[in-house]
Amino acid sequence: MKLIILFIAKYILGYLLQDLSFILGIYAFSKEKIKKKAFFISAGVIIPVNILIRMLPISYGINMLISIATILYVNYRLCPAELYTIIQSTLITMFLVLVSEIMCFVSLYIGFGKVRCDEFLKDPFWKAVLYVPFNMALSLYMFYRYRKMVKEYY
């Protein structure tokens, strides 16, 4: 049962939700309306590639840079916005993902203290479960930004 919850929390409510939020954020901040085919192709490429990148035995910063490069390339090929706009929206979205993760860490640190926080973050199960609310909040924010952009520009 713990493995099923870990899979759901880590891959579905973690990576999948965060990557979909990331793609949605790029459309929202580049002020482009989503074309369903391009969005699903982008998600179909970015999500599995990012999951594989995260599984590589390299440091977290390198994983992030490779993920950003992949996201930039795929969205440049599929999103009708200009390259500069895609780069700018990717950086804004990445910043918001980092802020979300920092807020999660700070909340754990304040709520549980340093020792318990370290214990939670070392255990993949608890790390995945405790990050879910912040991924959901990030997704809701990106959805809100996209809806707001569509109402303003379309």
Side-chain angles (χ1 to χ4, degrees), residues 116-134:
R116 290 285 287 166
C117 179
D118 289 343
E119 290 174 13
F120 283 137
L121 294 178
K122 286 179 185 174
D123 183 3
F125 175 78
W126 284 110
K127 182 178 178 182
V129 168
L130 293 170
Y131 270 67
V132 167
F134 293 91

Side-chain angles (χ1 to χ4, degrees), residues 3-4 7 23 26 29 34 64 79-80 109 123 130 145:
L3 283 173
I4 293 171
F7 177 80
I23 297 166
I26 290 171
F29 292 115
I34 290 176
M64 191 181 305
C79 186
Y109 189 82
D123 183 3
L130 293 170
R145 288 292 303 192

Side-chain angles (χ1 to χ4, degrees), residues 8-9 19-20 22-23 30 34 47 61 69-70 86 104 108 113 128 131:
I8 291 170
D19 287 343
L20 287 174
F22 206 104
I23 297 166
S30 64
I34 290 176
I47 292 167
T70 303
I86 292 172
C104 180
L108 290 174
Y131 270 67

